[in-house]
Amino acid sequence: MTKSELIERVSEAAKLTKGKAELVVGTIFGAMTEAMVRGEGIEIRGFGSFTVRQYKSYEGRNPRTGGSVHVKPKRLPFFKVGKELRARVNLSTAPLVEDDGDDVEVQERKTAAPKPVAAAPAAAKPRPAPKLREEHLSEDEI
Amino acid sequence: MTKADIIERVCEEVGGFSKKEAADVVEVVFELMKNTLAEGEKIKISGFGNFVVRAKNPRPGRNPQTGVQITIDARRVLTFKPSNVLKAALNA
């Protein structure tokens, strides 16, 4: 689902015009972005929380060439999923949708028989060691 | 920042909502997002980031308290990958 699809669904579910739904969704993510820029955390009950983590500078490596790279100090957002959502995501057995959810794909997903989590497709491969990366790339990582 | 702060912002910036209506619509937005992710579908918010459901294989683990070896079951987790726009904004 993309932002515009979210806006569409919000406009249907809340009976708002598309324009107003767009304003609402934009305001929500705008307010969240501003909070994080201020260094402030965000807590949405049932969904999750965002914190801003400060990273020190370090000597990294270019994984392609192996060359040493200086990485400057930086701030990154960190998301921690909420209890309720974590449980729901883990319990769901619907096939993972790797596409952006265009209509055709959504249709297929809804009609497909649910699979047990353990049988989830290639995407479930463990993160490979950097050297072997290319051979093990799963579809969603390409 | 909590949901209440977000509701207030929606009230101020989007005209024509009572506090209650703003609260309801913000609730709708997060409910829709939760339902989508619970179905295993990813969400891409341009300028903010992507919420992606990933499948994890089972792996051996240990109870750090007792040292007893156990198997961590296959599971699904939700990850957030911030967009370059958001990362840039945090480091501007």
Side-chain angles (χ1 to χ4, degrees), chain A residues 1-10 100-102, chain B residues 41:
Chain A
M1 179 162 83
T2 62
K3 182 150 99 181
S4 51
E5 285 164 343
L6 175 63
I7 289 165
E8 234 164 83
R9 293 199 213 172
V10 169
D100 305 339
D102 68 53
Chain B
E41 191 182 332

Side-chain angles (χ1 to χ4, degrees), chain B residues 1-86:
Chain B
M1 170 171 274
T2 63
K3 220 189 272 173
D5 300 307
I6 294 175
I7 290 164
E8 204 160 303
R9 284 289 294 271
V10 169
C11 244
E12 289 164 10
E13 287 179 37
V14 188
F17 282 135
S18 68
K19 202 67 171 269
K20 169 86 171 72
E21 286 165 335
D24 287 345
V25 72
V26 169
E27 201 59 50
V28 164
V29 173
F30 286 110
E31 278 306 313
L32 283 169
M33 289 177 68
K34 283 195 277 186
N35 294 342
T36 301
L37 294 167
E39 281 179 42
E41 191 182 332
K42 72 164 95 162
I43 302 179
K44 309 209 292 186
I45 306 294
S46 67
F48 190 79
N50 298 346
F51 296 89
V52 185
V53 179
R54 306 190 75 104
K56 298 281 201 179
N57 278 342
R59 62 184 167 91
R62 255 172 215 291
N63 178 337
Q65 217 117 69
T66 62
V68 177
Q69 193 128 20
I70 47 159
T71 304
I72 297 169
D73 292 338
R75 65 208 163 100
R76 283 182 179 192
V77 295
L78 174 58
T79 59
F80 174 68
K81 187 170 183 291
S83 93
N84 287 329
V85 179
L86 178 59

